[in-house]
Amino acid sequence: QAGRADASGSTLVWLLGALALESLALLAGSFALLALTEAAAAAFLATHAFRARRRAQGTYLLLAAALFSAAGGLTGAGPPSVLACGLAVAGALVRLGVFPCATGALSALGRELNLGTLLAALPFGGVLVLIRANQSLAASEALAWAHDLLLLSAPLAAALALTQRELGRSVGYLLAAVHALIALGALDPSATGQLGGELLWASTLLTASGFGAAASLVVLRIGDPDLSRHHGLHHNAPLLSLAFLILGMGLAGAPGTIDFIADDVLLSGASSEGLASMALVVITLALIGFNALRLQFRLFFGVSTPSRDYLRTKPRERLGLFLAMGAVVLGGLAPGLLPLVQAASGAH
């Protein structure tokens, strides 16, 4: 377990470094550098996935790396073409695991829900490429196919999460639905919608990390739970139960959480595109929230298991859960403390 923690820590550092480099490339206006950096990050994760024998996830990550590399190679030092932007967007959707490109992440999370599989599934990559491609083709309808795909993908993935009996796959479908909403905002033609996508991306990195960590703590205690029955963990792990509830509802944009601000701005952008777009976003959020409650009741309610020391949360786990809950709730109750939210307020 210590070796896995060290490997996951180095992976997180590498991903954050790649994200910083991508941000610099975006600020510098270099589409090629941005796409090639995304390709390197995806290839790095693919290597780790193959080493861990997560072949499906590794294959999808390699496909994303190939699409990013092709987009960067086509662009060179000049502005990106429509084809290069299309390839980059396709690579970003594969990298984010947007349904129906979620098979790799679903396979990995269904097989083993831990920090390593979560890091590969979280939206560290792909979003900045979507933002840059949207900026490059702002006056074009060339990316309309991706926008329409995401409008259908998000509620479908959220609905499929409700049908899963494995915790890892249900979490995977939830992430696929949220990632589709992030991509939808990043490709939104309106400035408000784009800002909503950026806010949702930032808040999801925090909320989904905490929610995934809480789910992995459940798996550490009782193995892969069968979601067709109740497991009664609340008596032995009340703090874990509370954290799972708050972070799960945060993913759905519940009031009082940081995601609520992001979803509000995203809905403002979707409303400018018509009632159908707004309704699909609302349905997606409702399904995400319903599934979070379903998981909460299945895992923590029901007949309590006998008291066992190994079921109780450890001090460092409690500290991590408190920090995750505090950040999500503080961002929702005091949004003025966050620079990104201040920018969102100015956009309204």
Side-chain angles (χ1 to χ4, degrees):
Q1 289 182 344
R4 286 186 180 180
D6 291 341
S8 298
S10 62
T11 300
L12 178 59
V13 171
W14 204 96
L15 285 173
L16 291 175
L19 187 58
L21 183 58
E22 292 164 17
S23 301
L24 292 175
L26 181 65
L27 291 174
S30 176
F31 185 87
L33 178 59
L34 178 58
L36 292 175
T37 305
E38 289 276 15
F44 173 80
L45 288 173
T47 301
H48 278 256
F50 281 120
R51 286 177 180 173
R53 296 184 179 180
R54 302 192 299 266
R55 295 183 180 86
Q57 188 177 39
T59 301
Y60 272 86
L61 288 167
L62 277 183
L63 174 59
L67 290 168
F68 285 136
S69 298
L74 284 173
T75 303
S81 63
V82 172
L83 177 58
C85 287
L87 289 171
V89 168
L93 298 185
V94 173
R95 171 66 181 87
L96 287 169
V98 171
F99 186 80
C101 301
T103 304
L106 291 171
S107 173
L109 291 170
R111 175 184 172 188
E112 192 175 10
L113 181 57
N114 56 35
L115 184 58
T117 55
L118 281 171
L119 285 176
L122 289 173
F124 282 98
V127 180
L128 292 179
V129 165
L130 293 176
I131 294 171
R132 183 66 177 86
N134 193 22
Q135 292 172 351
S136 301
L137 301 178
S140 171
E141 294 292 327
L143 298 181
W145 63 270
H147 189 271
D148 294 341
L149 171 65
L150 292 166
L151 276 176
L152 297 175
S153 170
L156 183 57
L160 286 172
L162 293 170
T163 67
Q164 304 305 307
R165 296 181 58 178
E166 298 175 8
L167 178 59
R169 291 183 65 84
S170 187
V171 171
Y173 274 114
L174 281 180
L175 291 178
V178 176
H179 294 178
L181 292 179
I182 295 172
L184 187 65
L187 294 175
D188 198 294
S190 69
T192 302
Q194 292 172 26
L195 186 57
E198 294 168 14
L199 285 172
L200 186 58
W201 176 39
S203 63
T204 297
L205 282 174
L206 173 63
T207 308
S209 297
F211 181 73
S216 68
L217 291 178
V218 171
V219 173
L220 279 176
R221 280 153 177 77
I222 62 173
D224 190 12
D226 181 2
L227 296 179
S228 65
R229 63 184 185 89
H230 295 83
H231 295 272
L233 278 175
H234 179 81
H235 175 71
N236 286 290
L239 179 61
L240 180 57
S241 174
L242 177 63
F244 194 92
L245 176 62
I246 291 177
L247 296 168
M249 296 310 295
L251 280 178
T257 65
I258 186 174
D259 299 73
F260 176 75
I261 309 294
D263 289 331
D264 177 56
V265 180
L266 184 66
L267 280 170
S268 297
S271 64
S272 64
E273 299 176 36
L275 182 60
S277 297
M278 186 176 181
L280 287 171
V281 174
V282 171
I283 290 171
T284 301
L285 293 173
L287 289 172
I288 291 172
F290 185 82
N291 192 50
L293 288 175
R294 166 182 168 263
L295 294 178
Q296 172 75 16
F297 278 94
R298 292 293 187 185
L299 297 173
F300 295 98
F301 288 84
V303 178
S304 299
T305 55
S307 295
R308 296 287 188 273
D309 288 338
Y310 70 87
L311 293 175
R312 299 187 179 94
T313 51
K314 298 176 176 60
R316 63 180 181 180
E317 293 172 345
R318 289 195 288 270
L319 175 61
L321 293 173
F322 271 123
L323 290 176
M325 287 189 294
V328 169
V329 174
L330 180 63
L333 297 179
L337 298 176
L338 304 176
L340 277 175
V341 177
Q342 293 175 359
S345 299
H348 275 292

